[in-house]
């Protein structure tokens, strides 16, 4: 009986791992290397001093989540960029595919038109999709939940 319970537990792991944690950081990875993170504005930065925590908010009746940058706002991608500072558009809907953040309906591809200097804490726009010259993934780093 104990063996059956162990198999049931192990089979539930992939589903549990696909859920966004309650509090998280978004890390920028390119070619398997961490090159930066996302700040509270929803911008790509290379300085780890300004990595920012996000909150995953439940969407009633859905398995997906909205992301909220503490003190800024619900992240939107209506403009084609990730925008978390007082965004004008509707909140974007996210989930995760393994460790990668997925924008529901658009996939896990994100990009930027350049890589910012390490001293640039304001950051640069994150393009939804692979239209920028620098393609990367946003990986979810759980802080709690």
């Amino acid at each position: 009986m104990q063996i059956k319970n162990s198999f049931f537990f192990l089979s539930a792991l992939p589903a549990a791992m696909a859920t966004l944690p309650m509090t998280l950081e978004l890390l920028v990875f390119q070619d398997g290397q961490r090159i930066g993170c996302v700040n509270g504005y929803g911008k790509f930065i290379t300085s780890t001093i300004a990595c920012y925590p996000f909150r995953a908010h439940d969407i009633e009746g859905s398995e997906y989540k909205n992301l909220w940058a503490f003190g800024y706002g619900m992240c939107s991608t209506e403009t084609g960029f990730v925008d978390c500072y007082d965004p004008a558009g509707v909140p974007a809907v996210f989930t995760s595919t393994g460790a990668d953040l997925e924008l529901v309906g658009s996939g896990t591809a994100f990009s930027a038109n350049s890589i910012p200097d390490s001293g640039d804490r304001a950051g640069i726009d994150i393009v939804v999709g692979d239209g920028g010259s620098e393609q990367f993934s946003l990986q979810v780093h759980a802080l709690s939940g």
Side-chain angles (χ1 to χ4, degrees):
M1 186 67 161
Q2 214 169 13
I3 292 174
K4 286 182 185 177
N5 289 341
S6 296
F7 287 126
F8 175 74
F9 172 75
L10 291 174
S11 68
L13 276 179
M17 291 170 62
T19 302
L20 288 173
M22 185 182 307
T23 306
L24 58 108
E25 284 180 319
L26 295 173
L27 307 178
V28 178
F29 276 79
Q30 185 179 57
D31 299 324
Q33 297 290 322
R34 179 180 171 180
I35 60 169
C37 59
V38 178
N39 68 11
Y41 297 108
K43 309 287 186 194
F44 168 32
I45 60 171
T46 55
S47 169
T48 58
I49 209 161
C51 294
Y52 209 77
F54 291 84
R55 248 338 201 184
H57 282 266
D58 291 330
I59 299 171
E60 191 172 327
S62 174
E63 63 188 285
Y64 304 125
K65 310 271 185 183
N66 296 125
L67 288 183
W68 176 68
F70 287 107
Y72 292 98
M74 289 283 193
C75 299
S76 174
T77 57
E78 205 166 280
T79 62
F81 300 99
V82 176
D83 183 14
C84 303
Y85 179 72
D86 198 23
V90 297
V93 179
F94 295 97
T95 189
S96 61
T97 301
D100 291 342
L101 182 72
E102 178 181 344
L103 176 61
V104 174
S106 294
T108 59
F110 294 93
S111 59
N113 291 320
S114 64
I115 295 178
D117 291 333
S118 62
D120 179 4
R121 293 172 63 180
I124 60 172
D125 288 330
I126 296 174
V127 179
V128 174
D130 59 4
S133 60
E134 300 288 338
Q135 285 80 41
F136 50 78
S137 64
L138 298 177
Q139 291 196 353
V140 174
H141 176 243
L143 298 176
S144 72

